[in-house]
Amino acid sequence: MKGYSEKPTRVRFKVLVFIFVSVVINYMDRSNISVAATAIGKDLELTSVQLGLIFSAFGWAYAALQIPGGVMVDRFGARLTYAFSLITWSLVTLLQGFTKGFVGLFGLRLATGAFEAPAFPTNNKVVTSWFPNQERASAIAFYTSGQFAGLAFLTPALVTIQHFLGWRGLFITTGAIGILWGIIWYIFYRDPTQHKKANKAELEYIKEGGGLVTPANEKGEKAKFEWGNLKEVFIHRKLWGIYLGQFAVNSTLWFFLTWFPTYLVEYRGLDFLKSGFLASAPFLAAFVGVLLSGFLSDFLVKKGVSLGIARKTPIIVGLLLSTSIVGANYVDNTSLIIMFMAIAFFGNGLASITWVFVSTLAPKHLVGLTGGVFNFIGGLASIVVPIVIGFLAQGGSFAPALVFIAIVALLGALSYIFLVGKVERIKVAQKPDSNLPM
C-alpha cells in the first residue's frame, strides 16, 4: 500500500475470525433450548406455560443488562469482558444439563441472558478498534453472519448431539465448548496497540481510516462511569434513529427465532419434518443478505460514495424488503409462502449491519455504552414481539401478526430516513476536569 515504508500486516482479519466464532457459539447457546424443548418438557413434566416462561427468561435478562454490559466493556476492555462473558454464560449453559425442574432451568436461562449481555457491545468495540471505516461494514457483516450461519447450519448438529447424548448431554457439550473458547479468547486476544503481530503500518492504516486503535482514555486508566454519560447517549436524535431501527430489525429476527416454525405447522398445515427443512431457507437467505450488505456498503465507500448513502442504503432497502412478509397473507402455495418469508429475511440480513452506526456515530469514549443502549432497545423486541404475535394470532388467523411485523419494519426504515441525518461522530464537549481526552 502507498504511504507505508512496510507492508501493513493483516492481524485484524484473524481477530475478525475470533469474533465470528464467538457469535456462532453465542447463538448456539441461545438456540439449544429450542432443540431440547420437547424432550425437556416431557422429562421435567413442564406445561406449555412453563416452557413459554423459560423461553422468555433469556430475553428479559439480556435486554435489561445491555447498558451495564456496555459500561463493562468501556471500563474493563474487550479482552477481559469477552472472556468473562463467554466463560460464565457457557458455565450456566453446562449447568442446565443438571437441572431438576422448572425453577432451576428458569433461573439458569435468566443467567444465560445476563452473562451474554456484554457480548455484542464487545463485538462492536473490537471492530471499532481494529477496522477502518472503509472496511468496517464488511467486518460487522461477517461477524453478524455468524448468527445466521449458526442457526442455519448448527441446528442439525445440535439435533444429532441430543439424539446420541440426550438433552442433558446437549447442554453439557455446548457449555464445555464455550468455556474452552473463552479461555482461548483470553489467551490470544489483544487490543491493536498491545498485539505483538500487528505492525506499525497496520495500526496507522486503521487509525487513518477512523479506527480507534487506542483507548479513549490514553493513560490506560479504567474509564469511570458517570450518569452524565448515560444522559449523553439518550439525548441525540441520530442515536434514537438507530435505536428504533434496531428494534425493527430485531422484530423480524425474533419472529423467525420464535413463531416461524409454529406458523408453518399450525397455521399453514405443514408436517413437522417438512417445516423443519423449509425453515432453513429464510435463514440461508438472511446469511447471504448480511454478507452482501457489508461488502456492498464498503464497496460504495471505497468508490467515493458519501458515508451516509453507503451505510444507510442497504439498511433502508433491507427494512423495506422485510415488509414483503405480509405477502404470505395472500398466497396458499407453500413455495410462494416460503418465497415471501425468504425475501423478508433476506432483507433482514441486508439491514443487519446496523452496528456500523454505533461505531460511526457514538462519542469516542462511549462506544461501549452506546452499543449497550442500542442493543437494549433492540433486545426489547425479543420480549415484545413474541407476546404481541401471540395476542394477534389467538383468533386463529396469523395474518394480523404478519401485518404487525411489516409495519414495524417500515417504521424502522423511516427512522433511518428521517432521524439519523448526517453520518458523523457525535462530539461531546470536554469537561475541564475530565481525564478522558476527546
Side-chain angles (χ1 to χ4, degrees), residues 76-114:
F76 297 106
R79 182 188 179 210
L80 180 60
T81 299
Y82 223 154
F84 172 80
S85 183
L86 271 161
I87 292 172
T88 51
W89 96 54
S90 299
L91 177 61
V92 295
T93 295
L94 185 151
L95 292 176
Q96 288 170 52
F98 298 94
T99 190
K100 299 296 184 181
F102 167 77
V103 173
L105 187 55
F106 182 82
L108 289 170
R109 290 305 293 178
L110 278 172
T112 305

Side-chain angles (χ1 to χ4, degrees), residues 291-370:
L291 291 179
L292 176 62
S293 178
F295 294 129
L296 173 62
S297 182
D298 281 345
F299 174 78
L300 292 175
V301 171
K302 292 173 184 176
K303 288 296 181 180
V305 176
S306 73
L307 197 61
I309 293 176
R311 298 309 194 209
K312 288 181 183 179
T313 299
I315 296 172
I316 293 170
V317 171
L319 285 164
L320 292 175
L321 282 175
S322 292
T323 66
S324 66
I325 196 170
V326 77
N329 286 341
Y330 303 100
V331 295
D332 293 317
N333 181 276
T334 300
S335 297
L336 292 177
I337 294 169
I338 296 301
M339 180 193 75
F340 279 114
M341 293 291 163
I343 292 172
F345 214 22
F346 170 81
N348 187 257
L350 203 63
S352 292
I353 60 165
T354 45
W355 275 97
V356 74
F357 280 93
V358 177
S359 302
T360 307
L361 301 179
K364 286 184 178 181
H365 65 299
L366 300 177
V367 172
L369 179 58
T370 305

